[in-house]
Amino acid sequence: MPTALLAALDPDQQAVARATRGRVVVVAAAGSGKTRAIAHRIAYAVATGDQAAEKGLALSFTTRAAGELRGRLSQLGVNELQTATFHSAALRQLSYFWPRVLGGPAWKIQSSKSALIEQAARSAGLDLSVAQRRLVAGEIEWGKSSGLDPVGYVATSRADLEVPKSDVAEVWSRYQDLLTTSNQIDFEDVLSLTLGMFQQRPDVVDEVRRRYNWFTVDEFQDVTPLQQALLNQWLGEREELCVVGDPAQTIYSFAGAAPNFLTNFSQVHPDATIVELARTYRCAPSIVSAANSLLHSEIEKHRTGLLMTSQVQTDGELTTAGFTSDVEEASAIAIKIRALLDEGVDARTIAVLVRLNALTVALERAFDQLSVPYVMRGATKFFDRREVKQVLLALRAESYSHQEQSLTDVVTEAATRFGWSAHPGSQSAEAKSTWEALSALVALARDVESADPAASIVDFFEEVARLTLAQHEPVAEAVTIATIHAAKGLEWDTVFLPGLSETVMPYFMASTEAEVAEERRLMYVAMTRAKTSLHLSWPASRSGQSLAPSRFLGELGAEVTAPVAQSRVQARAMAPEMRLLNCRSCGKGLISALETSVMRCRTCPAPNVEARVAMLKAWRDDYAARTELLPWLVLTEASMTAMAEVAPKTQRGLLHIQGMTELKFEEFGQELLDVISQFGPIPEQ
């Protein structure tokens, strides 16, 4: 019976499900069950006979979201209705009608703009850097999504960035010519060509309208002018449209998203049914209270968005902390997560969300030090970044020519040649990101030299190799490190949100009220990914630059106090069960990578393990020869020294050695344990 479809819904979700005809707008807060509500609406409309399943089209913005809705509908017995993204639906129609409308050979969808944009820029006499070409690509995507051509783009009020609008338009025009001559289209052209086809061929659009006569659009706050124009063509004069969204989660205006299509929906269509889903079943009351405080002034000012009410029974956990540096901050997060994992918490229920890719380096190092498994989503691994690779290649080429210089000076000189300077100055977003990545590389060299003043470039590359290997090991059960944009639509039990300083959140490029408002919404999205525990933090410095806490921390009512350097005792107190973080000689807590590698403080005397290291080197060189691997890819000097000092007897003990991974243990772990079992006693000093 159709009414059975309503039984599992709350009163507001039932109101959505019952609104089966006409224009409907659903304003849904984070975690309010909007996907559940629209799936039941579709199923209820089909069950009551108000709509025919085969005549419906449900649109989402990601393949994952479309797949989730398709799965829910299948469980409810609706399999005939089509679910798709805007682009996949348009591509299917464009491909079907292309032979009839234009004929000729099929076009190829371009996978990347970079090569053609570089060619277009050269033909225009412009010498654009990689960062500038990325900027131009982003502007072309924004312009096309906004329904503009090169001439229309120049006429907009959009401010000149690092590349003048006139130059962007010239490159855009030449880029489009190159696409045409090579019989290619890009991702945005899929929508614009479909729209143009409908506008020029009434017979084609009539055929599509006979195929689909009712529509559902999820995440409507992210719709672009081009997508709205295409939706209008699909819909025609009909009223059968349900749109769902949350103005508070509008975070893609840089890509052309126009939330006014959602916020003005009821004004444009006065007869529309309006339903609000304010109950959140995701976030605990403490998290909801803070998120509401963050958005309260904006909601009052613009009359858009919803204040949530939590339906979660437990209050949850919300903490705020300041640290003297991003390294201290990352270390504290790693220690906390390591303690949670040791308590049996599933790593997959934990996430660390960052505003910028460059912020991941300190986290990656800290996680590696404490053997915290992690995966990256929407962020490039530090050593995979182009600018980092360039500096490392330059250092390798010159590794034997800097014997008289300090390690930090050598790395600093190389980074400087690729655009690094002591202070970032006024830069574009891309240039700032590059500067931050190179600063992190310089800071890594400084850390290695601080731990060992005699450290050489070889020692530096050993640390790089150790970190690189750790980062690239696949793990099934792991903590997620993700950019906030990539985390939208996802949720975890525990979320850490570090780096909440001015210039990062809000980003330093956000200068207008509208831009700052979008940064505020971005923080709201990050906060509402957490179900039960949310940990907010900020560093007072990064790469030698002083930072102030984000203004958003004050807006959400958090207490912002002066950051305090984390002592070894404090770090130890955060994870009392972490046995292997103690120095084997003096018992002090261990924090740095070099200390945890050998399980002792730098100030404690090193035991004489030369004979043990020699045994490990002999085995390593033999294994490398057998497998045709470079020796340092098998084991680094630091890993062998740690094994020699600690002499682990079990798989678990071996995996606590820095540089050892599950994959390595599967390949040669037992051989290593056999070698270690043959160790003799350490000679007395």
Side-chain angles (χ1 to χ4, degrees):
M1 294 180 62
T3 54
L5 293 167
L6 307 177
L9 306 180
D10 70 28
D12 295 332
Q13 293 169 345
Q14 288 183 11
V16 174
R18 292 182 185 276
T20 58
R21 301 304 301 268
R23 294 186 186 266
V24 181
V25 55
V26 182
V27 182
S32 61
K34 64 177 178 63
T35 305
R36 179 188 187 89
I38 60 176
H40 280 255
R41 176 186 182 270
I42 292 170
Y44 188 76
V46 172
T48 57
D50 287 345
Q51 304 287 0
E54 67 275 9
K55 294 288 188 178
L57 177 59
L59 297 162
S60 300
F61 279 80
T62 65
T63 302
R64 181 188 62 80
E68 181 184 353
L69 180 57
R70 189 181 306 115
R72 288 178 180 264
L73 289 174
S74 180
Q75 293 175 356
L76 296 173
V78 180
N79 297 298
E80 299 84 1
L81 185 136
Q82 186 178 346
T83 60
T85 65
F86 270 92
H87 282 85
S88 63
L91 181 60
R92 187 179 297 113
Q93 295 170 17
L94 187 63
S95 302
Y96 180 80
F97 289 108
W98 185 274
R100 183 197 308 180
V101 175
L102 292 175
W107 29 255
K108 181 172 68 173
I109 297 179
Q110 179 202 65
S111 58
S112 172
K113 293 183 175 66
S114 57
L116 286 186
I117 285 179
E118 183 178 9
Q119 186 178 344
R122 285 201 307 268
S123 70
L126 298 172
D127 184 18
L128 301 182
S129 67
V130 173
Q132 288 172 327
R133 292 200 297 272
R134 289 178 188 165
L135 185 150
V136 170
E139 289 297 284
I140 292 173
E141 290 170 6
W142 177 88
K144 287 187 175 185
S145 296
S146 300
L148 302 173
D149 59 13
V151 175
Y153 171 79
V154 174
T156 65
S157 59
R158 197 168 176 87
D160 282 340
L161 297 175
E162 192 175 335
V163 181
K165 286 195 297 183
S166 58
D167 288 348
V168 172
E170 181 64 25
V171 173
W172 180 354
S173 181
R174 293 172 182 263
Y175 161 79
Q176 207 63 40
D177 289 341
L178 289 171
L179 283 176
T180 302
T181 55
S182 59
N183 199 38
Q184 295 184 82
I185 61 175
D186 63 20
F187 198 57
E188 293 74 35
D189 287 337
V190 172
L191 299 183
S192 59
L193 287 172
T194 305
L195 177 62
M197 178 177 66
F198 289 162
Q199 292 171 335
Q200 297 174 21
R201 293 291 298 268
D203 60 317
V204 170
V205 73
D206 285 345
E207 188 172 334
V208 173
R209 289 171 183 172
R210 287 193 297 272
R211 171 66 178 85
Y212 303 108
N213 59 23
W214 63 296
F215 300 83
T216 306
V217 185
D218 195 8
E219 302 290 354
F220 197 65
Q221 77 279 351
D222 293 331
V223 75
T224 67
L226 182 58
Q227 290 167 333
Q228 180 64 59
L230 184 59
L231 179 62
N232 289 342
Q233 287 292 325
W234 282 331
L235 192 61
E237 299 299 319
R238 296 167 297 183
E239 302 286 321
E240 302 302 323
L241 172 64
C242 175
V243 300
V244 188
D246 181 7
Q249 298 190 65
T250 304
I251 60 174
Y252 291 110
S253 62
F254 65 89
N260 57 293
F261 293 122
L262 173 63
T263 56
N264 296 337
F265 193 91
S266 59
Q267 299 174 26
V268 177
H269 307 288
D271 295 333
T273 300
I274 305 171
V275 185
E276 294 183 345
L277 301 180
R279 298 180 177 91
T280 178
Y281 298 89
R282 175 192 300 157
C283 305
S286 58
I287 298 170
V288 166
S289 177
N292 283 343
S293 296
L294 183 66
L295 285 188
H296 187 268
S297 60
E298 186 171 341
I299 291 175
E300 280 197 336
K301 184 176 181 179
H302 300 290
R303 304 296 177 185
T304 59
L306 293 175
L307 294 177
M308 299 180 291
T309 57
S310 178
Q311 304 302 299
V312 179
Q313 298 302 309
T314 56
D315 189 52
E317 179 185 20
L318 176 65
T319 67
T320 307
F323 298 91
T324 58
S325 70
D326 60 326
V327 175
E328 290 272 2
E329 181 183 42
S331 175
I333 291 172
I335 289 170
K336 176 67 174 176
I337 293 176
R338 183 68 264 173
L340 291 173
L341 299 182
D342 290 345
E343 292 170 5
V345 175
D346 190 337
R348 293 168 295 185
T349 66
I350 304 172
V352 185
L353 308 182
V354 296
R355 175 64 178 88
L356 304 173
N357 279 332
L359 300 185
T360 66
V361 59
L363 292 165
E364 292 175 60
R365 292 190 67 208
F367 281 18
D368 179 54
Q369 290 171 22
L370 301 187
S371 299
V372 174
Y374 68 92
V375 293
M376 307 286 285
R377 176 189 287 269
T380 305
K381 290 183 173 66
F382 180 69
F383 293 107
D384 286 342
R385 294 171 184 147
R386 175 188 53 81
E387 58 271 21
V388 172
K389 286 182 175 181
Q390 289 176 328
V391 174
L392 293 178
L393 285 171
L395 287 170
R396 286 195 183 279
E398 305 169 4
S399 59
Y400 298 103
S401 62
H402 299 288
Q403 299 182 2
E404 302 302 320
Q405 291 181 274
S406 71
L407 173 60
T408 301
D409 287 345
V410 172
V411 176
T412 299
E413 285 185 8
T416 301
R417 293 202 298 275
F418 290 94
W420 184 80
S421 60
H423 302 284
S426 178
Q427 304 181 46
S428 68
E430 288 286 350
K432 175 72 170 177
S433 178
T434 298
W435 181 87
E436 288 173 335
L438 296 181
S439 294
L441 198 62
V442 172
L444 177 61
R446 191 180 298 119
D447 289 346
V448 173
E449 188 174 7
S450 175
D452 180 6
S456 67
I457 192 69
V458 175
D459 298 314
F460 177 74
F461 273 113
E462 283 216 342
E463 178 73 353
V464 169
R466 183 178 66 79
L467 292 171
T468 302
L469 286 170
Q471 292 172 7
H472 285 271
E473 294 297 344
V475 252
E477 297 185 7
V479 175
T480 297
I481 299 178
T483 61
I484 300 173
H485 285 95
K488 190 171 181 293
L490 304 175
E491 61 183 40
W492 296 267
D493 290 347
T494 301
V495 170
F496 292 83
L497 188 54
L500 298 179
S501 60
E502 291 288 314
T503 75
V504 172
M505 182 69 83
Y507 194 38
F508 80 103
M509 293 286 289
S511 55
T512 67
E513 182 181 350
E515 290 169 341
V516 172
E518 178 143 335
E519 292 289 300
R520 183 179 292 106
R521 293 192 296 271
L522 188 63
M523 182 157 170
Y524 171 87
V525 167
M527 293 173 64
T528 54
R529 299 313 93 195
K531 296 167 69 176
T532 56
S533 297
L534 176 63
H535 304 281
L536 312 173
S537 59
W538 64 278
S541 67
R542 185 187 323 109
S543 302
Q545 299 295 118
S546 296
L547 302 169
S550 169
R551 71 192 72 174
F552 299 152
L553 290 172
E555 291 181 14
L556 59 86
E559 183 179 354
V560 180
T561 58
V564 178
Q566 187 183 27
S567 69
R568 294 176 184 273
V569 174
Q570 291 171 320
R572 175 65 178 164
M574 295 180 65
E577 303 302 320
M578 293 175 62
R579 177 176 54 83
L580 291 177
L581 289 180
N582 283 338
C583 174
R584 292 177 293 106
S585 297
C586 68
K588 290 182 179 179
L590 303 175
I591 297 178
S592 75
L594 292 175
E595 289 179 338
T596 56
S597 292
V598 296
M599 306 314 302
R600 62 174 169 79
C601 302
R602 298 193 296 268
T603 55
C604 288
N608 184 358
V609 292
E610 291 183 4
R612 293 182 174 185
V613 172
M615 293 173 64
L616 290 168
K617 280 186 176 179
W619 172 85
R620 181 192 69 173
D621 293 345
D622 175 69
Y623 184 86
R626 284 186 277 137
T627 55
E628 299 183 348
L629 292 172
L630 294 172
W632 63 267
L633 285 174
V634 180
L635 288 177
T636 66
E637 295 286 338
S639 295
M640 291 188 294
T641 301
M643 290 177 192
E645 293 192 20
V646 179
K649 301 291 192 300
T650 63
Q651 174 180 350
R652 180 173 179 176
L654 194 59
L655 289 174
H656 275 290
I657 298 295
Q658 298 301 315
M660 280 299 297
T661 63
E662 293 278 0
L663 183 61
K664 283 189 176 184
F665 187 87
E666 290 178 7
E667 292 177 347
F668 54 73
Q670 194 55 54
E671 288 189 42
L672 268 179
L673 290 176
D674 291 342
V675 174
I676 293 170
S677 69
Q678 302 173 35
F679 284 171
I682 297 176
E684 294 185 6
Q685 306 202 37

